[in-house]
Structure formats: C-alpha cells, structure tokens
Amino acid sequence: MGAKMEQKFINKEIEGSRNQNIEKLKKIFPNVIKDGKVDFQELKNELGEFKETVDEKYEFNWIGKQKTKREAMSGINGMTLKYFPEESKDSETTQNIYIEGDNLPVLKLLRNNYANKIKMIYIDPPYNTGSDLFIYSDKFQKNSKESQEELSITEDGEKNINILKDNMYKNTKDAYAYHSNWINMMYPRIKIAHELLKEDGVMCVSIDDNEVDNLKKILEEIFGHDNVETVIWKKIDPKYDRNSNAKIVTTTKRIHEYIVVAFKDREETEFGKIKKMPNWLNKYTNPDNDPRGAYKQGIISFQEGHKKEDKNSENYYTITTPSGRKITRNFFFSKEQYLEYEKDNRIYYPSNGDGIPALKIFENEEKDFYFETILEGVGSMNSAKKELAELFEVDEANIPFDTPKPTKLLKELIRGICGEQEETTVLDFFAGSSSTMDAIMQLNAENKNNNIKYIAVQLQDDLSNKENTINSKTKNIAIEYLKKINKPLYITEIGKERIRRAGEKIKKEENAEIDYGFKVFKLDETNINWEKEDYQKNINDYILNTTDIEKEMLLQDFNEGAKDIDIVYELLLRYYGMPLSAKINRIEEIGNRTYSVNDVIIVCLEDEITKEIVDKLSNMNFAKLYLRDSSFKGKDSLEIKENLMIRLNLQKEYNNEKSYRVEFI
C-alpha cells in the first residue's frame, strides 16, 4: 500500500476574517505587522501619510518596556535561598554554587553578594523558536489595554515576581507580542547580570537567528553599542562531524549559531589565546612514522643571510643534525626550548638527518590561536551529544537533554576571557545540562589549580508536569534515567548528576586535585516572620479575625520549619560582598545557636541574651552582628540591650549616613 495520507480535520471554530486580512496585509506591507498587530501609523506611512513629530529619536522599543525596566530595578521581598547540604558535594570545602529556581528572583537575591564580582557570564537561554516554554508575564495574551493595566507591579515590586515560578507559558509564534514576550523575559535578567560583572567582565549569550537581532539590541541598550560584538560558532562542520547529514549542512542557518559578546568596559578587557584544532590546507605526512600520527613540518629558523637574522640574539646558536652536520642560524626560540622539542621527538631532520630542522605540527593536536569572530574546531553539536552520551553511559539517541553545548566551546570561551587570573568566578544562570560547569572543571584540571569558581542557576522544572521546558521525547528519557538513579523528577537533578560524573571522569583522567564539589541552594520563601512587626503595630486590627493559635504564630520570629542554617544564609544575603561559599561555624563558647560567617558576620539566634553573652560578644572582632529582639527578656532586658549598644558602638556616622554594626530581627 502507498504512504498514509495526511488527514486534515475541520476546525471547531469558524474563524472570522481578521486573521486572513492581516495575512493579506502582511504580504503587501510586511513591515506594518509587528508582534501580530497592525502598526497603523506605519501603514499610514506606507500610504504616504506621515505624522509630524518633534520628539523623534533612535531607540529600541517593545510592548511592556517600561514595566520590564521597572521590574529589573526593583528589589525582592519574601524570598531566600535555602541550603541543602545533603544534596551537595564536598560541601565543607567547595567554593562552587548550584542554585535551583527561577533565575530572575535568584539574580535579585545575589545582587548584594556579587555586585561587580563576576568575571564572566555565559548563558544559553531559550531561542524563542515558537515551541519554547519559559517564564514570562501572560498579561500580553490579553488586549493591549488589559495588558498595560495588569502588567503593573506593586509598590514593593515583588508580588508578581514571587509567583513567577508558577507562570510558565509556551510562547508560540501566534501569541500576542511574541517577540516582546521573549524580550520581557530576557531584559531584566541581563540588566541584573550587567550589575554583577566586574569592570573587565564579559557576558556571552548563545542564540540563533530567531532572536539574534533583538538580543543585540538588548545588550547594546544595557552595555552600550560599542561594547557588543557577535561571534559565529560553526555548530555543524563536515570536517569534524563526518557523519553529518548533507542536507543539513547545506542550509546556512542550520550550520551555525551566534555568541553575542558584551563587555562591561571594552577598554578594560583583553582576550587571551584559545586552543583549537588547526585548519591547515597543506597535506599532513608522517615520513618518520611518528606514533603520534601525521604532521606538518613547521619552519623554525631564518636562513643564513636573511634580513631578519640577528647574530647578536640569544636565539642565534648552533645545532648538530643526526648526520653530524653543524647548522648555525637565528631560531624562533631559545636553544633550551629547542633541546626540549628534540627530546620529545618534535624536531624533524629531512634528507636522512642532514637537512634543516623543522618542528612537527601534528594533525590531531590543538594549537594556540587568537580569539576569532568565527569559531570552528572548538566542538560541535555532535561532539556535545557524544560526550554527554559517554558520561551518562547511554547511546546518543538517549541523552537526557535536547541541545547541549560542547564543553570544548565553553572551555575556550572561558580560557580566552578568564585567562590566568586568580579567584575568577563564572556565572551561568541558564545552566541546563551543566556544560559550563563541566568545562570549568576540565580547565582547572588542565591548569592544575582552582582559579575558576562557578555559580550555576537552573529552574527546577518538574518533569512530571504536562508542560515543561524540554520536548516530550527527551522528557521521557530524563524521567526514566532519574528513576533509574533514584532521584526526584526535576531537570536540575540531571544537571547535578552531570557535574558529579564529569568530576569523577576528570579526576581519573587528569589525576588533578581540584574543586569537584558544589553547594546546593534552592529558591524558597523567607524563613523570617516579617508579619510580626505589622501584627505588633496593628494588634487591634488582628484581634477580631485571628485565633489564639494564629496569634501565637504571628509572634514567632521565624516561620514554622525554619532551621538556624537557613536563617544564617538569609541574613548573609543581606551583607554586601559576602559570597554564598562563605565558611559558617558555630561559636560554641556563646551557645548552640550563635554562628560566625567568614569571621566577619555573627548571627546570634539564642533564645535569651544574658550579661555573660554580651561580655563575650563585646570581646570579639566582627563587622556585623544580628540578634533577635525577642531574646532580650526579663526585668534586666532593657539594661542589657543598652549596655550592648554602648559597648559595641551600635552606629557610626559615615558621610552623613548611619552605619549600623548591630541589627535586630
């Protein structure tokens, strides 16, 4: 029998003529249809009717711009990052961070701790292909008037943000404000990312043709036009992916993606060299049957009498060939380096050992290159799938991620941007398959140091839900794998497992003692009962509508189930410049509920502050002390508190502003 015919079913709804008319108009004047709506002024322009205006200027506009900019600038209330030591690896020693949750509130929570601290940010966000699910306001699904009214943010700027984790929508191409939805999702995240970067920091964003133009405009608006460049990554290359489908590689849009690079300050930033496979045109040979394979013969000296020959140079010396011939020349490197190459059998002597020596440049060996605007030979889609399949011990058709990035690409981006700097931090807030973290461990192992730390942020994305951010086939593969390793059905569990497996592999292959661990945090509701103060101020308003049990709960300092360590981290997030990797120790000489954070912050959660505790605190060095106001009890409580305030010099004047050394919960 022949192939099964595709069946067309009738639509349940009998559509009106609006969409048909828009499509007709789009064919005649494609520029007047913007985000699925008719720009009537643009239509008038096409018909020769131009509006006179005195306030024209070049700018990037989209639906919801002002609300989105306000959202980016607003703070965050009622949220914290909760620490999960049982899900962490090497939690006592690691300086790497893995955070689960929506990246917008997470970035806001990190503002104090990492402002101007991050050297590099890499993200691989949704490409807005028409099938992506991501968090954005669904208000644009309504008409324009409703959209503008309902998108408004409360005075504290946070109520909408706190429920974002429940607002995941598929941004289909027929959605109202299709491109604006994506921009509204990306803009505030990039705006905060800009604040986190050091002055010589760099942000790299992977993207394809769907939104590359809008991405560049977002970055140019935030970073400045002169601070943005575009790099092309050849993601499919027949030279390296020999099994690539010929039909795919003939389609230009499908053989490359973009990496848009934004500099915090271009003049402060330098790129180092990267390593990649050379793309030599000359044929490789192996005349002496070197076990390392075929190679090119590279010239390493100036011939006698050459105009660049310098007989006074330290690189002007004599060597002896295997045939006994002595050759004196100006070489490109020192004699010490020459002898090292010779010892490693990297010097080739042609003419049966009598010819001018050359350097072996092997076909399958990486070389140093300056950073280029077209990147190839740094991994591909195929190599990314292969390395993931190897890590998870499955075939390539059963990897639990849709489109992982090759670690080689990310390793070279990080190498070029971070160089040999000490204590560099890289942030990836669309962590996905954790390729960035894998690449960082590889680079640290290669350099035999722990110079590069990472912060990874990824939405939890419950795979048991009908709708999530990955396609159904990959979702089923991920679910089966998580069941196999007995983990919860969250996409973050795959990412964390990838880091663990990659660390074990690197440690075995490189035998390098580096930081393979990570601390796990999850976005959660606050541990502190912020309603207590309101209750105490407006107690009469609560009396009639509150039960005795509710009143008792309202008087508690902390919410039910809050652990001391959770409270310590929530307070840590309020201290400028303190990293989440900070060391937290219990100060047992004071009590069971007093903690030191990097010997800078003291968090005292004791139920009662006594004179003895005040004496001990007064003899300690610290920058900030947090205390429970309710811990001052009994008839002497006021005297004890006043004594503490005097002895610790509670507030000082700095530039006409009060700097509080002690704060109360």
Side-chain angles (χ1 to χ4, degrees):
M1 295 180 64
K4 186 177 179 180
M5 294 181 61
E6 182 180 352
Q7 299 182 65
K8 173 73 169 67
F9 293 91
I10 61 171
N11 293 326
K12 181 179 180 180
E13 179 184 2
I14 299 176
E15 295 183 350
S17 59
R18 175 186 176 276
N19 290 340
Q20 296 175 21
N21 290 338
I22 288 178
E23 286 302 313
K24 292 176 184 176
L25 191 58
K26 188 176 181 180
K27 288 182 180 180
I28 304 171
F29 304 119
N31 59 312
V32 307
I33 307 300
K34 298 174 181 177
D35 274 338
K37 300 285 287 183
V38 178
D39 184 333
F40 287 101
Q41 184 56 52
E42 192 66 37
L43 178 59
K44 288 181 178 180
N45 293 348
E46 289 290 345
L47 298 176
E49 297 182 22
F50 295 93
K51 180 182 179 181
E52 296 295 330
T53 179
V54 295
D55 59 353
E56 285 185 337
K57 60 181 178 179
Y58 176 81
E59 63 178 330
F60 176 40
N61 270 315
W62 67 91
I63 299 171
K65 179 175 183 178
Q66 294 306 314
K67 301 295 187 291
T68 298
K69 292 180 74 172
R70 187 186 306 167
E71 182 178 306
M73 298 300 293
S74 66
I76 183 164
N77 295 324
M79 303 294 283
T80 188
L81 297 177
K82 193 165 286 188
Y83 176 44
F84 286 78
E86 67 277 10
E87 297 184 32
S88 305
K89 178 179 172 60
D90 301 333
S91 59
E92 295 299 316
T93 57
T94 187
Q95 295 186 59
N96 298 318
I97 306 296
Y98 190 101
I99 304 173
E100 302 182 37
D102 172 21
N103 51 24
L104 181 57
V106 169
L107 288 170
K108 290 190 173 193
L109 287 169
L110 296 180
R111 256 179 173 149
N112 272 341
N113 306 79
Y114 294 96
N116 303 308
K117 297 288 186 181
I118 306 296
K119 170 59 181 176
M120 176 184 174
I121 296 174
Y122 171 80
I123 58 171
D124 186 14
Y127 285 5
N128 208 21
T129 59
S131 59
D132 295 312
L133 283 108
F134 52 79
I135 292 178
Y136 67 97
S137 174
D138 66 336
K139 304 305 180 184
F140 294 130
Q141 302 298 331
K142 301 180 169 50
N143 64 47
S144 181
K145 183 178 180 181
E146 291 173 326
S147 297
Q148 296 306 316
E149 290 175 353
E150 296 187 19
L151 189 66
S152 60
I153 297 173
T154 55
E155 283 301 314
D156 59 18
E158 296 314 315
K159 288 191 176 179
N160 290 342
I161 293 170
N162 289 349
I163 62 171
L164 276 177
K165 59 184 178 182
D166 301 319
N167 287 353
M168 290 194 68
Y169 305 98
K170 180 175 285 188
N171 194 34
T172 57
K173 289 189 176 181
D174 60 352
Y176 179 72
Y178 168 66
H179 290 289
S180 292
N181 289 336
W182 186 85
I183 296 169
N184 284 315
M185 184 271 293
M186 292 294 294
Y187 185 93
R189 290 160 171 82
I190 293 177
K191 183 71 170 68
I192 300 172
H194 178 265
E195 297 174 24
L196 301 182
L197 283 173
K198 297 171 68 174
E199 287 307 304
D200 63 346
V202 181
M203 183 172 190
C204 298
V205 187
S206 284
I207 201 70
D208 69 2
D209 293 88
N210 286 289
E211 293 291 358
V212 64
D213 293 332
N214 283 327
L215 174 63
K216 286 179 65 179
K217 289 174 183 175
I218 293 171
L219 290 167
E220 286 171 355
E221 176 152 318
I222 294 172
F223 285 78
H225 183 274
D226 293 338
N227 286 324
V228 178
E229 275 193 10
T230 303
V231 173
I232 295 173
W233 169 52
K234 204 167 185 181
K235 67 178 182 179
I236 297 177
D237 191 337
K239 182 179 176 69
Y240 303 104
D241 298 332
R242 303 188 188 280
N243 296 323
S244 296
N245 187 317
K247 291 182 180 179
I248 293 178
V249 300
T250 57
T251 306
T252 305
K253 287 188 178 181
R254 293 185 178 178
I255 69 171
H256 73 268
E257 287 182 4
Y258 306 96
I259 300 171
V260 185
V261 181
F263 304 85
K264 184 80 172 277
D265 185 344
R266 191 189 195 97
E267 294 184 359
E268 294 288 330
T269 310
E270 290 185 7
F271 274 107
K273 287 184 177 181
I274 65 172
K275 292 182 180 292
K276 69 172 190 173
M277 300 298 291
N279 189 15
W280 303 115
L281 298 177
N282 305 47
K283 185 178 180 180
Y284 289 83
T285 60
N286 192 357
D288 60 349
N289 296 315
D290 193 304
R292 288 167 288 193
Y295 56 86
K296 277 186 64 180
Q297 297 172 30
I299 299 171
I300 57 174
S301 63
F302 296 116
Q303 67 185 53
E304 291 87 346
H306 192 279
K307 63 180 181 180
K308 289 189 177 180
E309 186 180 31
D310 181 5
K311 294 184 178 181
N312 295 317
S313 169
E314 63 179 11
N315 291 342
Y316 186 79
Y317 49 83
T318 301
I319 59 95
T320 304
T321 70
S323 67
R325 177 186 174 190
K326 293 188 181 299
I327 297 174
T328 303
R329 282 191 165 203
N330 200 166
F331 289 85
F332 297 169
F333 38 74
S334 69
K335 190 166 186 178
E336 182 183 11
Q337 180 66 66
Y338 183 95
L339 293 174
E340 287 183 12
Y341 282 138
E342 189 176 50
K343 185 178 179 181
D344 193 30
N345 191 25
R346 287 179 177 268
I347 301 295
Y348 174 67
Y349 298 93
S351 303
N352 295 320
D354 194 54
I356 302 299
L359 182 67
K360 294 180 180 180
I361 303 172
F362 291 95
E363 180 179 21
N364 296 314
E365 192 169 67
E366 292 179 342
K367 301 292 181 296
D368 287 339
F369 289 85
Y370 286 104
F371 206 90
E372 301 162 325
T373 54
I374 298 179
L375 285 174
E376 58 180 320
V378 290
S380 62
M381 289 176 63
N382 277 11
S383 66
K385 291 178 180 179
K386 285 176 182 175
E387 64 181 337
L388 207 56
E390 182 182 339
L391 269 180
F392 284 98
E393 300 177 297
V394 297
D395 58 57
E396 290 178 39
N398 289 312
I399 60 173
F401 278 102
D402 289 331
T403 54
K405 289 292 184 290
T407 54
K408 176 61 179 170
L409 169 68
L410 300 174
K411 190 166 74 167
E412 298 316 317
L413 286 173
I414 296 166
R415 190 198 306 276
I417 293 169
C418 295
E420 298 297 324
Q421 293 190 24
E422 295 183 1
E423 298 300 315
T424 298
T425 303
V426 176
L427 168 65
D428 183 345
F429 55 86
F430 283 97
S433 64
S434 294
S435 296
T436 304
M437 284 52 76
D438 190 346
I440 288 170
M441 289 189 292
Q442 289 183 36
L443 197 54
N444 282 340
E446 182 181 312
N447 296 331
K448 298 291 190 286
N449 60 42
N450 282 316
N451 282 1
I452 307 173
K453 322 296 180 186
Y454 66 74
I455 301 172
V457 185
Q458 174 59 35
L459 190 70
Q460 269 195 324
D461 199 4
D462 188 348
L463 296 174
S464 63
N465 288 343
K466 290 183 179 180
E467 293 203 342
N468 47 66
T469 59
I470 60 176
N471 68 46
S472 57
K473 180 186 175 183
T474 308
K475 179 179 75 172
N476 292 333
I477 292 171
I479 287 174
E480 289 304 311
Y481 185 81
L482 289 171
K483 287 180 178 178
K484 180 180 176 182
I485 62 174
N486 196 29
K487 296 288 185 181
L489 301 182
Y490 295 111
I491 199 66
T492 47
E493 296 299 331
I494 301 279
K496 290 183 291 185
E497 182 67 13
R498 196 261 179 84
I499 299 173
R500 295 187 189 98
R501 285 174 169 264
E504 291 169 6
K505 181 176 183 289
I506 296 165
K507 189 173 185 178
K508 182 179 179 181
E509 293 178 352
E510 300 292 336
N511 192 28
E513 292 300 324
I514 62 166
D515 187 352
Y516 295 106
F518 54 90
K519 279 185 173 182
V520 174
F521 292 85
K522 298 181 183 181
L523 183 67
D524 209 332
E525 294 181 354
T526 180
N527 301 288
I528 299 171
N529 178 22
W530 299 102
E531 199 174 354
K532 177 182 177 181
E533 184 179 359
D534 181 64
Y535 172 71
Q536 291 173 327
K537 286 182 179 178
N538 305 286
I539 193 166
N540 292 330
D541 297 336
Y542 282 86
I543 289 176
L544 296 176
N545 302 311
T546 311
T547 66
D548 290 340
I549 295 176
E550 289 172 334
K551 290 175 186 175
E552 185 176 342
M553 291 182 66
L554 284 168
L555 285 170
Q556 300 299 314
D557 290 333
F558 310 115
N559 293 328
E560 188 176 1
K563 299 177 183 177
D564 280 3
I565 193 66
D566 300 329
I567 298 160
V568 173
Y569 273 112
E570 185 162 354
L571 295 171
L572 181 156
L573 289 169
R574 285 163 166 74
Y575 192 85
Y576 190 87
M578 183 64 68
L580 282 172
S581 57
K583 300 293 182 184
I584 298 175
N585 298 306
R586 183 184 285 113
I587 307 177
E588 295 181 353
E589 62 184 280
I590 291 181
N592 291 326
R593 303 188 67 187
T594 301
Y595 305 86
S596 167
V597 183
N598 269 10
D599 298 323
V600 174
I601 304 171
I602 292 180
V603 179
C604 183
L605 304 176
E606 305 295 339
D607 292 327
E608 182 175 0
I609 301 296
T610 63
K611 292 180 180 178
E612 290 74 20
I613 289 178
V614 169
D615 288 339
K616 290 176 181 178
L617 289 172
S618 301
N619 292 321
M620 292 182 174
N621 292 319
F622 55 84
K624 177 75 75 175
L625 170 65
Y626 292 103
L627 292 160
R628 295 166 61 185
D629 191 50
S630 63
S631 64
F632 292 88
K633 300 174 180 179
K635 61 179 182 179
D636 297 328
S637 61
L638 184 60
E639 179 186 343
I640 292 172
K641 184 184 286 189
E642 288 179 348
N643 182 34
L644 175 78
M645 293 166 68
I646 293 170
R647 293 176 69 176
L648 295 181
N649 193 11
L650 180 62
Q651 65 186 50
K652 298 179 180 179
E653 295 286 340
Y654 292 107
N655 297 324
N656 297 320
E657 292 186 5
K658 294 177 180 178
S659 174
Y660 292 90
R661 192 182 178 202
V662 179
E663 291 187 26
F664 295 94
I665 305 168

